[in-house]
Amino acid sequence: LPPVPPGAVRPPHTPGRGSQGKTPPRHPPSTGPRPLPPPRTRQQAVNNVAQQWAREDFKAALDWIRKLPADRDRSELVQGLVYPAIEQNPANAVALLDLVSSANDQDNMLRNIASNWANRDLEAARKWADSQTDVAVRRVVYEGIVSGLANENPQAAAKLVQKMPPSDAQRSAVQNVASSWARNDPVAAANWARQLPAGESRTDAIRNIASQW
């Protein structure tokens, strides 16, 4: 082996005058409690544990969640369980809805459930949507179904949009389908848009498709 160049090895430590050649005392490691992680980190850890628990024993996880304070953290926790619940049984996901008090959070959960369910079993998702007696709930569920299908199956999403009653929700769904379909097949999307009833919704859809051509 080649020799180590001069100065490459640190010379031995020479104690200074003030140290009098004594080794400084070593402080033992602290045995006190470690600081807690930040609140968001703790909440994320709880969410991860709950999701895994729901996959293994949904009923036990649901019973535990019901005992938690009805606050924002629980609402976030419940929304994170939607997909694990749908993997087992979509009815499990529906059972989570009554644990969310905010109307906005409930609507988001309905859309999320419908979107994921439609990609797994479109016919079952449609039957669930049609079974809703509350018109507002049925509208939100159909929005979720259309959103879930728009990327994977825009033709099926387009058929559903035509069955929705005229409303702001339908106009939003039309634009969702037009935008998603145009990214993959602008010609087919344009042909579909031209067949829509004359009006603002068709004009916006055609404009949306043209902007992505």
Side-chain angles (χ1 to χ4, degrees):
L1 294 176
V4 177
V9 177
R10 182 181 297 175
H13 173 69
T14 302
R17 291 182 181 178
S19 66
Q20 299 180 353
K22 296 181 180 179
T23 303
R26 297 179 61 186
H27 297 285
S30 173
T31 57
R34 295 182 178 180
L36 292 173
R40 291 303 307 164
T41 303
R42 291 202 305 272
Q43 182 62 31
Q44 185 60 53
V46 171
N47 292 352
N48 292 340
V49 170
Q51 289 174 23
Q52 183 60 36
W53 193 1
R55 289 186 173 95
E56 297 173 359
D57 189 341
F58 180 82
K59 184 179 183 304
L62 183 60
D63 290 342
W64 170 71
I65 292 172
R66 289 186 187 278
K67 299 174 183 177
L68 297 176
D71 55 15
R72 185 66 194 173
D73 286 344
R74 189 179 80 165
S75 178
E76 180 181 323
L77 178 63
V78 169
Q79 293 182 69
L81 295 184
V82 169
Y83 190 72
I86 289 177
E87 285 180 327
Q88 294 182 356
N89 182 353
N92 289 344
V94 177
L96 295 170
L97 286 167
D98 66 345
L99 295 176
V100 178
S101 56
S102 163
N104 186 56
D105 286 345
Q106 287 181 343
D107 285 352
N108 288 337
M109 278 188 65
L110 282 168
R111 292 188 186 94
N112 199 0
I113 293 170
S115 175
N116 285 282
W117 199 348
N119 282 321
R120 294 171 62 86
D121 188 340
L122 174 58
E123 190 59 31
R126 288 182 58 181
K127 287 181 179 178
W128 177 57
D130 290 337
S131 71
Q132 304 305 315
T133 56
D134 188 315
V135 176
V137 171
R138 186 165 62 246
R139 172 182 59 78
V140 173
V141 170
Y142 263 107
E143 286 178 8
I145 292 175
V146 170
S147 176
L149 290 176
N151 289 321
E152 302 296 330
N153 192 345
Q155 295 89 340
K159 291 179 181 179
L160 282 179
V161 165
Q162 293 174 339
K163 295 181 179 180
M164 295 174 66
S167 61
D168 289 341
Q170 189 205 39
R171 286 190 288 274
S172 176
V174 167
Q175 302 315 312
N176 192 345
V177 173
S179 179
S180 298
W181 203 347
R183 285 195 292 269
N184 299 317
D185 191 344
V187 174
N191 290 335
W192 165 74
R194 292 192 189 99
Q195 297 173 12
L196 293 172
E200 183 179 350
S201 185
R202 185 179 72 172
T203 301
D204 289 344
I206 293 173
R207 185 182 299 115
N208 192 342
I209 294 166
S211 69
Q212 299 187 59
W213 208 305

